[in-house]
Every structure is written in structure tokens, then in C-alpha cells.
Amino acid sequence: MYKGQQQYFYIIMRTYDSRPPWEALQALYIHSLQLQHLLGYITQQEALACAAVLRDSAKRASAKAAHQRPPRPPPPEGFSHEDNVAMGTTCGWTR
């Protein structure tokens, strides 16, 4: 493929990638847990338990999906996944 074709293909692939919205949804859920804890609706132990369930579920889903799809081709020169993520996925939640 020519460079322009590679870039076009990568843009299409990036458009249909569900990972960034999924990561944003996970971050939103973690922030919701933090807020519920700060407001006193749930204990810190409950918030940590819910976050652990989310993390473990995401790991299992990721491992399952990795076995079901072919490896992703590297992006063309000048493109990167990090440049195109709409929202950050770090939430500052620590154990």
C-alpha cells in the first residue's frame, strides 16, 4: 500500500475502534465511585471492591478479544493511538 492508502486505512480503523470510548466509560465509572465514596454513600472498601471487579472484568475481556482477532497493524508513520484518544484514561485511583 502507498503511504496515503495506509493513512486512509488507519483513519478508518481508528474510527471504528471501540477502545477509547470504552476506556472513557471505565474512567467515568471510577470517578463515579470516588464521588459516591466522598459523599458517604459507599465505604472505601466497597469502592475499591467495585473498581477491582471492573479492572478484572476488563482484563478478562481484553484477553478474550485478543485471542479472537488478528494483531493490529502498526499505524503509518506520523500517526499514533495516543494522539487520537479523546479522553485520558487515568483517574488517579490508587489502592
Side-chain angles (χ1 to χ4, degrees):
M1 272 199 262
Y2 296 109
K3 184 176 181 174
Q5 291 171 321
Q6 289 176 344
Q7 291 175 344
Y8 178 73
F9 178 71
Y10 184 70
I11 288 169
I12 290 172
M13 195 173 70
R14 186 183 65 219
T15 300
Y16 291 100
D17 184 10
S18 63
R19 189 178 345 167
W22 176 245
E23 290 172 348
L25 185 61
Q26 288 176 326
L28 185 65
Y29 181 71
I30 295 296
H31 288 299
S32 173
L33 287 173
Q34 288 176 324
L35 180 61
Q36 289 178 38
H37 168 64
L38 289 173
L39 293 174
Y41 296 132
I42 60 175
T43 66
Q44 184 175 9
Q45 305 314 73
E46 291 171 325
L48 290 173
C50 291
V53 168
L54 175 66
R55 184 190 66 236
D56 295 343
S57 174
K59 282 183 183 178
R60 280 194 309 273
S62 178
K64 181 179 178 183
H67 293 302
Q68 294 177 347
R69 67 175 178 255
R72 176 182 288 195
E77 200 172 296
F79 282 81
S80 73
H81 178 70
E82 290 76 23
D83 294 338
N84 299 306
V85 175
M87 294 180 62
T89 59
T90 57
C91 61
W93 188 263
T94 58
R95 286 190 101 163

